[in-house]
Amino acid sequence: MSLRIGYGAGSVATGAFGTVPGLMLLPYLTDTLAVPALLAGAIVLLPKAWDVVLNPVAGRISDRTVDPRGPRRPWLLRAGLALGVCFAVLFAGPDLGSRAFDAAWVLVAFLACATAYAFFQVPYVAMPAEITDSYAERTRLMTWRVAILAFTILLAGASAPAIRDAIGGRDGYRVMGLVMAAIIVTGALLAYRGTRGARIGEVAPGPGSLRDQLRLVAAARDFRLLLVTFVVQALATGCMLAGVDYLAGDVLERDGASTILFVCFVGPALLLTPAWAALGQRIGKKRGYLASSLVLATGAALAVLAGHAPSAVVFAAVGLVGVGYAGVQVFPMAMLPDAAAVDARRTGSSRVGVYTGVWTAGETLGLALGPGLFAVVLALGSYRSSDSGDVVQPDSAVTAITLGFSVLPAVLVLASLWWLRGYALDEREVDLVDA
């Protein structure tokens, strides 16, 4: 139990970093720094695109790390501390009255954040395949991880806008950045300490170059199908996350709506993550993943009522999204180490780091493209950027915000199920290989 909690504590760092930039960086650029929507979308996307290249490299490096603490844990400490520092810098740019300088500061700082995050996230995600050989135990590990992740998303997603709004202006963002940086460092330290008793993988890294390893991983059909499903859903989640602030301010026009939306989104995940895990034990991970995806898509589609129905209806729809979100985090993250472990047992060579590097690269790409895609939707709707956030938006922008938050993510989630249907690994096959 202590190991499950210790491992799950790493989600305090990943949850804070995964949530706050996706929620606040695009509005920070468009509504505080007055950066045009398309340029702001590019600034959010480019560092994440770098991560797509870097993540497999980080996985390969962690596979080959020789340390008494194991190949993964040293990176939790090193990269976790670096990530906290870089995150504080991200929102701490001096106010020199230059839009070009402001945009460049955010781009460079976010690039540094993305680099540190790659060397934390990839080793962290690789650990379950080495901690245990059990199909069911991996689900229990992921249950704790997702529960802590949901709590962190709730904490960071609700408190970050509240801190910003309480102080106001760029100073509000600066203080918020310091608080979130402290949360990230806390998560990294807890994960490092909490996994000190974890089993260390004994399988030697696979031979060949990184390109050879990537080619072999790409040929693993079940992994490939699972990855595409997860990436497309990450794209949908990224769209919704980027749209929260805009939906609250420009569509619902209600004070504190950002915080309420986040509570509605994450609250169900805190309560229902164990329920999804229990359901998965009865019907299998794939069926559980399918069911939770359909719930998420339904909730997202219902959010199209924003601006026409009472706010309570929109909050309820987002709550349904939260119910599904818990499952679409638990199941794929429990299925990933199954695919990596099956490959390791069959070949005798560990490519766990490469697998998780490719996985986190895909997740990063999806979450980065989400805000980028939402920024394109804003531009198509003629969204007006400003340095105060008080501009009245045209009806076309309000419609674009609503569709980008609701219909677009729902369609993406439903489309992702085309790939999930071909996934074939089940408990019997995993346990046979592990045996």
Side-chain angles (χ1 to χ4, degrees), residues 347-414:
T347 64
S349 297
S350 174
R351 285 183 283 267
V352 174
V354 178
Y355 265 92
T356 55
V358 173
W359 179 272
T360 55
E363 180 184 18
T364 297
L365 178 63
L367 290 174
L369 287 175
L373 181 57
F374 193 85
V376 171
V377 173
L378 289 180
L380 292 174
S382 301
Y383 185 85
R384 298 169 180 168
S385 298
S386 71
D387 58 3
S388 65
D390 294 331
V391 174
V392 176
Q393 299 296 335
D395 291 342
S396 59
V398 173
T399 300
I401 291 168
T402 302
L403 295 178
F405 183 84
S406 59
V407 174
L408 180 57
V411 170
L412 288 170
V413 171
L414 291 176

Side-chain angles (χ1 to χ4, degrees), residues 17 24 32 58 65-66 85 98 100 171 234 374 398 411:
F17 182 73
M24 303 190 70
T32 298
T65 297
V66 178
V85 172
S98 168
D171 285 341
F374 193 85
V398 173
V411 170

Side-chain angles (χ1 to χ4, degrees), residues 19 61 97 102 125-126 134 181 216 232 246 272 282 290 309 312 340 380:
T19 300
I61 290 173
D102 290 339
V125 175
S134 169
L216 290 171
V232 175
Y246 297 97
L272 296 177
R282 294 184 59 186
L290 173 62
L380 292 174

Side-chain angles (χ1 to χ4, degrees), residues 35-64:
V35 176
L38 284 179
L39 178 57
I43 291 172
V44 173
L45 173 62
L46 289 176
K48 295 288 189 175
W50 160 244
D51 249 6
V52 172
V53 177
L54 184 61
N55 279 342
V57 177
R60 179 73 163 175
I61 290 173
S62 73
D63 276 343
R64 294 179 174 274

Side-chain angles (χ1 to χ4, degrees), residues 19-358:
T19 300
V20 177
L23 173 66
M24 303 190 70
L25 193 54
L26 191 63
Y28 175 59
L29 288 164
T30 60
D31 295 347
T32 298
L33 304 184
V35 176
L38 284 179
L39 178 57
I43 291 172
V44 173
L45 173 62
L46 289 176
K48 295 288 189 175
W50 160 244
D51 249 6
V52 172
V53 177
L54 184 61
N55 279 342
V57 177
R60 179 73 163 175
I61 290 173
S62 73
D63 276 343
R64 294 179 174 274
T65 297
V66 178
D67 192 286
R69 297 167 291 181
R72 319 294 176 189
R73 288 186 64 238
W75 293 106
L76 300 186
L77 183 62
R78 299 166 187 163
L81 295 177
L83 177 59
V85 172
C86 293
F87 192 88
V89 170
L90 176 61
F91 292 99
D95 188 359
L96 300 181
S98 168
R99 186 183 304 174
F101 176 84
D102 290 339
W105 178 285
V106 173
L107 177 61
V108 173
F110 199 35
L111 181 64
C113 286
T115 301
Y117 185 67
F119 281 93
F120 179 88
Q121 171 78 337
V122 174
Y124 177 65
V125 175
M127 294 182 76
E130 297 172 337
I131 289 174
T132 178
D133 293 329
S134 169
Y135 178 92
E137 178 61 21
R138 291 184 194 121
T139 301
R140 288 188 283 269
L141 275 173
M142 289 307 108
T143 300
W144 277 100
R145 178 186 169 188
V146 172
I148 295 173
L149 177 67
F151 173 78
T152 304
I153 292 174
L154 177 60
L155 175 65
S159 64
I163 293 170
R164 174 200 62 190
D165 295 343
I167 298 172
R170 295 186 67 165
D171 285 341
Y173 277 103
R174 293 183 180 111
V175 174
M176 178 277 298
L178 288 172
V179 173
M180 295 302 120
I183 291 174
I184 290 170
V185 169
T186 299
L189 293 176
L190 288 174
Y192 176 75
R193 179 173 176 80
T195 56
R196 64 191 183 280
R199 192 183 71 177
I200 297 174
E202 299 177 354
V203 181
S209 66
L210 176 60
R211 180 177 297 180
D212 295 332
Q213 296 285 294
L214 291 174
R215 188 180 300 114
L216 290 171
V217 169
R221 180 176 181 273
D222 291 300
F223 171 77
R224 188 175 66 250
L225 293 170
L226 182 64
L227 175 65
V228 174
T229 303
F230 188 69
V231 169
V232 175
Q233 292 191 0
L235 174 59
T237 302
C239 276
M240 296 195 76
L241 191 61
V244 166
D245 226 35
Y246 297 97
L247 188 77
D250 296 312
V251 181
L252 299 181
E253 297 181 338
R254 175 171 172 172
D255 292 339
S258 293
T259 298
I260 297 173
L261 286 170
F262 246 91
V263 171
C264 292
F265 185 92
V266 182
L270 281 172
L271 299 174
L272 296 177
T273 294
W276 279 119
L279 179 65
Q281 291 180 350
R282 294 184 59 186
I283 67 175
K285 298 178 186 179
K286 178 181 175 180
R287 290 182 179 178
Y289 193 10
L290 173 62
S292 56
S293 298
L294 292 174
V295 172
L296 191 156
T298 301
L302 290 174
V304 76
L305 298 173
H308 301 286
S311 297
V313 174
V314 181
F315 295 149
V318 176
L320 191 60
V321 170
V323 172
Y325 179 74
V328 302
Q329 291 295 304
V330 168
F331 293 117
M333 295 307 297
M335 295 156 78
L336 166 63
D338 290 340
V342 164
D343 174 77
R345 297 298 180 183
R346 285 174 175 168
T347 64
S349 297
S350 174
R351 285 183 283 267
V352 174
V354 178
Y355 265 92
T356 55
V358 173

